[in-house]
Amino acid sequence: MPPKYRSISAQVADILREKVRKETWRNVLPGERQLAERLSVSRKTVRKALSILREEGSIHTLDNRVNTPVPRKLHIRASSGPAKRIALLLPESIETARPFTVLWINRLMALAHDAGFEMEVMAGWRYFGQQAGQSLRRLVDTHPGRCWILSRSHRPLQEWFAGSGELALVSGTALAGVRLPSVDVDYRALCHEAALEFLRQGHRRLALFLEKTEHGGEVACERGFRTAISAYDDAEPLVICRPSKSTSAIMREMARILSMKSPPTGILLSNSLSYVTAFSYLASRGLRVPQDISIASRSDEPFLNYLYPLPTRHFVPAAKLGTALFEAVLRLTGDPAAGAFEVRITPDLIRGSSIGSPKAGAW
């Protein structure tokens, strides 16, 4: 956990205060909507941040609700050196992200602020398309001198930054042939261990749910799962599922694999949300966990503790990932020639009661 809790609005206020101090906006601040889009937060969060600045006297709000910076003498230490900036690039806004993502971002922002870094969160699917080169070039040109952290990145995005000359770090796994440093959960070890949990209970027909978009971690996950299965001569071919994130897509994929002539007896779900969808879908079909079918989650969220039977899943502290990312930023900004180093965090297995012995015969 961070040494002290700081709300998102307080962290946004820090960013805006720094821009006012540096006279980024000499006459008037951008509107609430523009600030919300640029910082990837809600207008309500921006409004709270502006209220903080207004109360401390950093900005003044005119009758037409236009915010103007209050001139003040700048006190900059000669030893402060060049500005230190971090830009986190996401496909979606923080407020639509999974709880685990929000927590590691919060940890990263707290560490960056305490170390004197300016950090911005930027989001937009236009940066993650197959033809996003022009959008990325405009983004980088208008935000120079930053260390870019790429979250949920795919090959086109990674390759673009690898060839751009910008300082960039993958929050995830760099894909084969991409020379970028990366920080991620050790998904190969995670999925190898998860597969063994099923195999030791006697399961030989297994299914693995992965994200629809192929990230580096998904490749490592599948490799680890297959390696574990290969050690068992009587194991059947692995069933790979790549539905979209929607509930309906996951349910359709569950229906498909359960209708197979020899359906899987054990399923590893890609995340906690897909686990809940699969669990409730099985219940709607009258199938019990683990008596009729065994399932496990590749990730953990606090709400899983409220399910019965208790899910088997893997746990990585969000604060640990946020800290590892910030340490990687320090390494990269301190030595831009550090190369494509890798940092992998080993997850802990939480053994619940959602994996049991496979049911004899067809259910």
Side-chain angles (χ1 to χ4, degrees):
M1 293 295 294
K4 57 181 179 179
Y5 173 77
R6 291 182 59 79
S7 66
I8 296 296
S9 57
Q11 295 176 49
V12 170
D14 291 336
I15 295 172
L16 299 180
R17 186 185 299 108
E18 183 66 10
K19 290 186 176 296
V20 169
R21 186 185 71 81
K22 293 179 178 179
E23 296 184 326
T24 302
W25 306 300
R26 292 183 179 274
N27 298 315
V28 63
L29 274 67
E32 290 178 0
R33 186 183 300 277
Q34 291 175 289
L35 290 173
E37 291 178 353
R38 178 165 180 177
L39 298 176
S40 190
V41 297
S42 68
R43 292 183 67 179
K44 183 178 179 180
T45 298
V46 169
R47 202 170 293 125
K48 288 181 179 179
L50 292 172
S51 178
I52 293 172
L53 298 188
R54 190 180 304 114
E55 290 177 4
E56 69 185 29
S58 295
I59 64 172
H60 175 65
T61 302
L62 303 177
D63 292 338
N64 59 357
R65 298 182 64 182
V66 172
N67 296 296
T68 62
V70 175
R72 63 173 59 190
K73 184 178 180 180
L74 301 180
H75 300 279
I76 303 176
R77 293 179 297 174
S79 60
S80 62
K84 298 181 290 184
R85 300 186 179 96
I86 302 172
L88 173 61
L89 189 58
L90 299 167
E92 299 172 311
S93 67
I94 293 177
E95 291 167 346
T96 62
R98 294 167 183 158
F100 178 80
T101 302
V102 174
L103 290 173
W104 71 250
I105 291 175
N106 191 53
R107 174 62 169 173
L108 175 61
M109 293 182 76
L111 292 173
H113 176 265
D114 290 344
F117 278 77
E118 174 188 325
M119 179 172 167
E120 294 177 273
V121 179
M122 304 174 190
W125 283 105
R126 62 187 179 279
Y127 305 123
F128 289 77
Q130 295 293 322
Q131 307 296 326
Q134 290 185 350
S135 296
L136 288 169
R137 173 47 59 194
R138 285 194 297 270
L139 180 67
V140 168
D141 288 346
T142 54
H143 299 81
R146 284 162 173 75
C147 177
W148 295 86
I149 300 178
L150 316 177
S151 181
R152 292 182 60 198
S153 57
H154 56 1
R155 181 172 292 280
L157 183 66
Q158 291 186 12
E159 290 181 341
W160 191 91
F161 271 95
S164 70
E166 299 289 327
L167 285 182
L169 166 70
V170 177
S171 174
T173 298
L175 289 157
V178 177
R179 297 286 298 169
L180 288 177
S182 63
V183 177
D184 203 0
V185 175
D186 190 341
Y187 279 109
R188 178 167 183 167
L190 183 158
C191 289
H192 186 274
E193 184 176 40
L196 289 178
E197 282 295 303
F198 287 105
L199 292 162
R200 288 167 182 157
Q201 288 286 343
H203 294 273
R204 294 298 182 267
R205 301 194 304 275
L206 298 174
L208 174 62
F209 273 63
L210 298 172
E211 301 286 346
K212 183 177 182 179
T213 302
E214 187 173 319
H215 304 292
E218 306 296 273
V219 176
C221 181
E222 182 178 345
R223 187 178 299 125
F225 210 92
R226 290 189 183 280
T227 300
I229 291 177
S230 67
Y232 288 74
D233 294 335
D234 56 343
E236 298 185 14
L238 176 64
V239 177
I240 297 291
C241 306
R242 297 184 184 275
S244 64
K245 292 196 304 181
S246 70
T247 300
S248 58
I250 295 170
M251 291 172 60
R252 284 195 299 271
E253 194 67 358
M254 288 290 294
R256 182 185 70 83
I257 64 175
L258 293 180
S259 65
M260 291 178 172
K261 184 176 181 180
S262 296
T265 61
I267 306 172
L268 178 64
L269 283 306
S270 57
N271 57 71
S272 56
L273 299 181
S274 60
Y275 180 96
V276 171
T277 299
F279 181 81
S280 57
Y281 177 77
L282 291 171
S284 74
R285 294 274 300 261
L287 298 174
R288 300 165 300 167
V289 174
Q291 293 90 338
D292 298 316
I293 188 168
S294 294
I295 60 175
S297 174
R298 197 175 64 175
S299 67
D300 182 41
E301 297 286 0
F303 64 79
L304 290 182
N305 288 315
Y306 296 91
L307 292 182
Y308 178 82
L310 190 67
T312 293
R313 72 269 196 196
H314 280 81
F315 171 69
V316 172
K320 189 172 184 178
L321 178 58
T323 299
L325 281 165
F326 183 67
E327 290 175 349
V329 168
L330 292 178
R331 180 176 174 183
L332 185 58
T333 55
D335 179 15
F341 60 85
E342 291 185 352
V343 177
R344 294 293 177 265
I345 301 172
T346 302
D348 294 323
L349 174 65
I350 301 177
R351 284 188 174 89
S353 49
S354 64
I355 297 179
S357 299
K359 185 177 181 179
W363 35 258

